[in-house]
Amino acid sequence: MENIILHKADTRGNANHGWLNAYHSFSFASWYNPDRIQFGALRVLNDDTIAGGMGFGTHPHDNMEIITIPLEGDLAHKDSMGNTEVIKNGDIQVMSAGTGIQHSEFNPNADQQTKLLQIWLFPNKRNVTPRYQQITLDVEDRRNKLSQVLSPNPDDEGVWIHQDAWFNMGNFDADVTAEYKIKKEGNGVYAFVLKGNVTINGQELNSRDAVGISGTDVLNIKANTDAEFLLMDIPMNY
């Protein structure tokens, strides 16, 4: 039986630190909502804006799959594995924190803000060797169709993580429709609208709204306006 959880944009947690304006879809840091802890293996979805020249100092993670999707501007990354990279809109970055890593993330540009999504998924294997991966995607690939950007398979399209999860991004013109089939039995989809107005399985979503859908095999998607969105197909039990 289909189960739907609607998360409107204005119900998210918000922490504006000046240098960082963060919106939390799930409980994070000082924002706690007992009804918003996670959706299946999805634990964190943060919608962050970082002021010019500012960022997160070195901090640790372990046993989490961390996905960063830049939306605007650049993000300079440095970690204890020796990676020093800059990611920008069109890129996607993943880290398997595993046994433990430390990293920092900064906006290297003093004159412009950086916007990004940071997503944490619980892994299906604990204490793996930490790993880092970053690729540049062709944004045109998601024009009026769904483009896979993440999977569990290193040989598949996009980046890969230690979890039976598949992410797809779409950049649809108004009135474009698509059908999405859930990749694995028992998985649900958390859909997050970056901009525009989209209807998914009868739920109308505006910019920064989200819907979690489980107990179904297929999603029917219609862009009511020009729209961009992210589908996260993830295990509900992990």
Side-chain angles (χ1 to χ4, degrees), residues 16-137:
N16 192 340
H17 304 283
W19 67 272
L20 170 69
N21 189 14
Y23 286 89
H24 311 305
S25 293
F26 301 97
S27 294
F28 190 84
S30 60
W31 185 67
Y32 177 73
N33 180 334
D35 298 323
R36 301 274 284 268
I37 302 295
Q38 63 196 88
F39 178 81
L42 174 61
R43 173 61 190 89
V44 168
L45 173 57
N46 287 347
D47 181 4
D48 292 348
T49 300
I50 304 172
M54 305 302 286
F56 301 93
T58 302
H59 58 281
H61 294 282
D62 66 67
N63 286 313
M64 196 66 76
E65 301 295 301
I66 299 169
I67 301 106
T68 303
I69 303 176
L71 303 174
E72 182 184 305
D74 302 328
L75 187 71
H77 165 96
K78 189 173 184 179
D79 66 43
S80 53
M81 295 177 281
N83 298 294
T84 305
E85 304 286 350
V86 174
I87 56 174
K88 56 190 67 185
N89 183 27
D91 297 345
I92 184 170
Q93 175 207 77
V94 294
M95 288 191 304
S96 299
T99 53
I101 55 165
Q102 298 202 27
H103 76 138
S104 61
E105 298 161 295
F106 278 88
N107 177 354
N109 304 310
D111 58 345
Q112 69 179 87
Q113 61 186 15
T114 296
K115 294 188 176 185
L116 60 100
L117 297 181
Q118 187 162 100
I119 300 158
W120 298 6
L121 296 185
F122 290 112
N124 57 17
K125 295 176 186 164
R126 289 182 61 81
N127 297 321
V128 299
T129 301
R131 61 176 285 272
Y132 177 92
Q133 185 186 10
Q134 168 189 338
I135 63 171
T136 298
L137 302 162

